Amino acid sequence: MHRSNLTILLISLWFAGSILGMEPKCSYCNKSIEGNYLTADGKSYHENCYRDHIQPRCEHCGKLIDGKYAILDDKMYHPQCYTNHILPKCVICDQPLQGKYYTDYWGNSFHGSHSSELPECSTCGRLICEELTRGGFELGDGRFLCGICNETEVSGDFLLESSSSYVRRLLESNGITNLPVDIPITLVDQERLKQLASSYSDAMHGFTDHNMQTRNGRVVSKDSHIYIVSHLPLTMFRAILAHELMHVYLFERDLDLRSDIREGFCNLGSEMVYKDTPSEYAKFRLLNMEKSQDPDYGYGYRKISQLLDRRGWRYLLETLNEID
Ligand SMILES: [Zn+2]
Ligand SMILES: [Zn+2]
Ligand SMILES: [Zn+2]
Ligand SMILES: [Zn+2]
Ligand SMILES: [Zn+2]
């Protein structure tokens, strides 16, 4: 929330006749004044001296300021010039931003009223409109996707394989190894994800279903199936895939962790992808995780991330069982 710095002041000017026998001196040219003169700030001036040298001019149009003016950074403006040319404009309606206004993560400033009129993109937080996002879409499951995020959205199979090998390489570089080779990935809408996950959180964008086959009390096979919400921008899709593959890692090692430690650990996969992606969007998504108030995806993540920063991957992977 910002407030534009507009101050309206009044210049005090007085016209006065010269008083007999007390001819004042002009504070500009230092010569005595005959006839009418002007006073400003307790000093006297010839009318011409005042107008040509003392009277303030508008920084925008260069013309004299008479009466009300606005001031910004010690510069003076006609109120009209200030409103129309100096005040920042709303990126949505192009009207000056007077009074309270918002600036989003992406540096777009707009009137607060627009945020109640326009839907927000579910992945980048921008208000969806032609001016900011080149439009956008309602996905039909309660989510909105803006035109910018839509450019890289993952809704078909063609990106799954390349994303999968990229994410696996990244995880392996930190010791998350020996993941099963063929893990099916299915794109679903948010409604389906809610049905699949026994405990659903808004911070959730994927779910991994684990199955274990036992015979005579012995595990004979394990398999996992990853579900990810469709239409995520590629960067976020990869981050969610990394998170879900971390679940597979835990499952393969029979690590049954408390929810905050489990989700916090799996979010390190997302963190890896965001830190590996040099884009403003990746920074935005990482910030989102860092600020999340979710007990598992937010607090849990920060706890495990701090532990990782202090002790490193090797220690973390070896002691996952003992974290409290
Ligand atoms: Zn003078
Ligand atoms: Zn002006
Ligand atoms: Zn506006
Ligand atoms: Zn977006
Ligand atoms: Zn998870």
Side-chain angles (χ1 to χ4, degrees), residues 90 92-94 111 114:
C90 171
I92 297 171
C93 70
D94 205 35
H111 295 109
H114 298 305

PDB file of all heavy atoms in Angstrom, residues 90 92-94 111 114, ligand 3:
ATOM      1  N   CYS A  90      -2.347   4.609 -13.009  1.00  0.00           N
ATOM      2  CA  CYS A  90      -2.788   3.234 -12.766  1.00  0.00           C
ATOM      3  C   CYS A  90      -2.560   2.429 -14.045  1.00  0.00           C
ATOM      4  O   CYS A  90      -2.970   2.854 -15.127  1.00  0.00           O
ATOM      5  CB  CYS A  90      -4.265   3.244 -12.390  1.00  0.00           C
ATOM      6  SG  CYS A  90      -5.023   1.615 -12.321  1.00  0.00           S
ATOM      7  N   ILE A  92      -3.929  -0.175 -14.935  1.00  0.00           N
ATOM      8  CA  ILE A  92      -5.149  -0.805 -15.433  1.00  0.00           C
ATOM      9  C   ILE A  92      -6.091   0.202 -16.090  1.00  0.00           C
ATOM     10  O   ILE A  92      -6.542  -0.001 -17.209  1.00  0.00           O
ATOM     11  CB  ILE A  92      -5.855  -1.582 -14.298  1.00  0.00           C
ATOM     12  CG1 ILE A  92      -4.935  -2.723 -13.823  1.00  0.00           C
ATOM     13  CG2 ILE A  92      -7.202  -2.138 -14.760  1.00  0.00           C
ATOM     14  CD1 ILE A  92      -5.400  -3.430 -12.573  1.00  0.00           C
ATOM     15  N   CYS A  93      -6.382   1.319 -15.416  1.00  0.00           N
ATOM     16  CA  CYS A  93      -7.356   2.264 -15.990  1.00  0.00           C
ATOM     17  C   CYS A  93      -6.706   3.552 -16.495  1.00  0.00           C
ATOM     18  O   CYS A  93      -7.382   4.419 -17.024  1.00  0.00           O
ATOM     19  CB  CYS A  93      -8.463   2.576 -14.992  1.00  0.00           C
ATOM     20  SG  CYS A  93      -7.900   3.566 -13.582  1.00  0.00           S
ATOM     21  N   ASP A  94      -5.373   3.703 -16.324  1.00  0.00           N
ATOM     22  CA  ASP A  94      -4.624   4.844 -16.823  1.00  0.00           C
ATOM     23  C   ASP A  94      -4.974   6.166 -16.133  1.00  0.00           C
ATOM     24  O   ASP A  94      -4.585   7.227 -16.596  1.00  0.00           O
ATOM     25  CB  ASP A  94      -4.807   4.975 -18.341  1.00  0.00           C
ATOM     26  CG  ASP A  94      -3.632   5.718 -18.968  1.00  0.00           C
ATOM     27  OD1 ASP A  94      -2.499   5.543 -18.473  1.00  0.00           O
ATOM     28  OD2 ASP A  94      -3.854   6.491 -19.914  1.00  0.00           O
ATOM     29  N   HIS A 111      -5.088   1.143  -8.696  1.00  0.00           N
ATOM     30  CA  HIS A 111      -6.071   1.503  -7.676  1.00  0.00           C
ATOM     31  C   HIS A 111      -6.498   0.252  -6.924  1.00  0.00           C
ATOM     32  O   HIS A 111      -6.727  -0.793  -7.528  1.00  0.00           O
ATOM     33  CB  HIS A 111      -7.306   2.133  -8.322  1.00  0.00           C
ATOM     34  CG  HIS A 111      -7.025   3.438  -8.995  1.00  0.00           C
ATOM     35  ND1 HIS A 111      -7.029   3.601 -10.350  1.00  0.00           N
ATOM     36  CD2 HIS A 111      -6.735   4.653  -8.464  1.00  0.00           C
ATOM     37  CE1 HIS A 111      -6.745   4.849 -10.642  1.00  0.00           C
ATOM     38  NE2 HIS A 111      -6.563   5.507  -9.521  1.00  0.00           N
ATOM     39  N   HIS A 114      -9.497  -2.107  -8.077  1.00  0.00           N
ATOM     40  CA  HIS A 114      -9.435  -3.139  -9.127  1.00  0.00           C
ATOM     41  C   HIS A 114      -9.296  -4.550  -8.560  1.00  0.00           C
ATOM     42  O   HIS A 114      -9.708  -5.515  -9.196  1.00  0.00           O
ATOM     43  CB  HIS A 114      -8.271  -2.872 -10.083  1.00  0.00           C
ATOM     44  CG  HIS A 114      -8.390  -1.577 -10.820  1.00  0.00           C
ATOM     45  ND1 HIS A 114      -9.485  -1.260 -11.574  1.00  0.00           N
ATOM     46  CD2 HIS A 114      -7.552  -0.513 -10.883  1.00  0.00           C
ATOM     47  CE1 HIS A 114      -9.320  -0.051 -12.085  1.00  0.00           C
ATOM     48  NE2 HIS A 114      -8.158   0.428 -11.671  1.00  0.00           N
TER      49      HIS A 114
HETATM   50 ZN    ZN B   3      -7.164   2.255 -11.898  1.00  0.00          ZN
END
